[in-house]
Amino acid sequence: MLGYFGPAGTFTHQALRTVTDAPAQPFGSVQAVLDAVRAGEIEAGLVPIENSVEGGVTATLDNLASGDPLVIVSEVLLPVSFVLGVRPGTTLDQVRAVITHPHAHAQTRDWVVANLPGAVVTEGGSTAGAAEEVARPDSRFDAAICAAVAADLYHLDVIASDIADNADAVTRFVLVRRPGSLPEPTGADKTTLVAYMHADRAGALLEILQQFAMRGVNLTRIESRPTKKAFGDYCFSIDAEGHIGEPRMRGTLKGLHRVCRTVTFLGSYPRADGISPKIAHGFTAAEYQAAEDWIDTVMGRTR
């Protein structure tokens, strides 16, 4: 059984349906999904991790970084399109109170200001939860900013479509399970990890970044997150091009293990966009192997 950040009708649910039609259980929060995976209640869970407009989803980043180990085994990219859903009979000029998820509000703020200048937007829950709330006859909210699938699920009228400020917005989702065998390298992979500094000092982040740069590993995302242990104590959530099975990524992780207080490995998995990294001269697997062969030859000559 799979799980996802629900309820039914969320973008996460929509993303899950692009990869499987298998039965899946919705959960009310990202933490609830990940806790269910850790407890063995579900085999794997799909949660949002990054948005092209708003950046990382902090609930996912922080919950993956703490607690019992979990690994990402695949990712899904989903173009995000929002609608304004209302109870039947409601018109645009009657909308005074709107409810939606914080990320949805952030991605539609300009549209709301331009088209609903007198409306108050309340953030909370999920976009599908917002649609469900507005569908209640006694709801204090007049409209929900949600996915079209949620408006349809809860029988709301769509009085405005494609209301996102950025028509090219994309949300990235990851399928997470308990540690086990990793997906095989495909040549177009991504590795996710969290690096913890030994101490907050000048050059500490540079020391971490050098482990990637000196091996020709490109980063696709890096975000600082508080460790929640002390004020000013931060860790770094990182996505990098490559797979732990490749020599350059394996060397990078070994280097990080030497210079960091802790490294949390969160998986190596295929990129959803299928883009292969541009590997500079000297960093291919063949060149790493040639270097190892040369060292073996030199050592044999000096015995």
Side-chain angles (χ1 to χ4, degrees):
M1 172 72 73
L2 300 180
Y4 65 94
F5 173 40
T10 59
F11 286 107
T12 313
H13 187 207
Q14 186 175 338
L16 183 65
R17 286 293 173 254
T18 67
V19 295
T20 179
D21 290 325
Q25 179 180 350
F27 290 85
S29 67
V30 167
Q31 181 174 346
V33 176
L34 300 181
D35 284 348
V37 177
R38 289 185 171 106
E41 297 172 12
I42 54 176
E43 179 183 349
L46 191 75
V47 291
I49 194 171
E50 183 183 10
N51 178 267
S52 61
V53 176
E54 288 298 295
V57 178
T58 56
T60 300
L61 298 179
D62 292 349
N63 276 286
L64 284 175
S66 60
D68 292 339
L70 294 171
V71 292
I72 299 168
V73 293
S74 65
E75 65 176 8
V76 179
L77 299 178
L78 184 73
V80 175
S81 177
F82 297 100
V83 303
L84 190 71
V86 299
R87 288 182 295 279
T90 304
T91 59
L92 191 64
D93 62 338
Q94 294 175 323
V95 175
R96 295 290 181 268
V98 181
I99 184 170
T100 192
H101 185 272
H103 274 210
H105 184 205
Q107 295 177 64
T108 57
R109 187 173 284 114
D110 291 347
W111 186 93
V112 170
V113 169
N115 294 275
L116 299 171
V120 175
V121 179
T122 298
E123 299 178 350
S126 65
T127 52
E132 183 179 22
E133 166 61 32
V134 170
R136 293 172 47 206
D138 60 344
S139 176
R140 65 186 179 91
F141 298 101
D142 306 308
I145 296 173
C146 59
V149 64
D152 182 64
L153 180 65
Y154 294 105
H155 309 293
L156 299 180
D157 284 350
V158 174
I159 58 173
S161 301
D162 298 323
I163 65 175
D165 301 329
N166 185 339
D168 298 321
V170 175
T171 297
R172 175 178 161 234
F173 303 84
V174 290
L175 188 66
V176 180
R177 64 163 172 73
R178 294 179 298 283
S181 58
L182 298 175
E184 292 295 321
T186 66
D189 302 290
K190 190 179 291 181
T191 292
T192 299
L193 59 94
V194 183
Y196 295 79
M197 300 180 295
H198 272 292
D200 183 13
R201 58 174 178 79
L205 176 56
L206 176 61
E207 192 173 47
I208 290 173
L209 296 178
Q210 283 177 331
Q211 302 305 315
F212 296 93
M214 66 192 296
R215 295 175 179 88
V217 175
N218 183 47
L219 304 186
T220 60
R221 181 186 61 84
I222 179 169
E223 299 183 52
S224 61
R225 295 297 305 153
T227 64
K228 300 179 175 59
K229 293 181 178 179
F231 187 76
D233 189 15
Y234 282 78
C235 59
F236 298 94
S237 178
I238 298 171
D239 291 333
E241 292 181 334
H243 191 284
I244 191 174
E246 299 171 343
R248 63 195 186 96
M249 182 60 74
R250 186 182 295 271
T252 298
L253 292 172
K254 287 179 179 179
L256 290 172
H257 191 269
R258 290 195 302 270
V259 303
C260 294
R261 183 176 78 244
T262 305
V263 179
T264 301
F265 174 74
L266 291 175
S268 290
Y269 48 92
R271 290 181 58 146
D273 56 17
I275 296 176
S276 299
K278 297 179 180 178
I279 303 176
H281 175 71
F283 297 108
T284 67
E287 288 164 328
Y288 267 93
Q289 186 59 55
E292 289 291 339
D293 293 343
W294 176 75
I295 288 293
D296 289 342
T297 300
V298 170
M299 290 180 65
R301 288 177 180 171
T302 56
R303 287 195 186 100

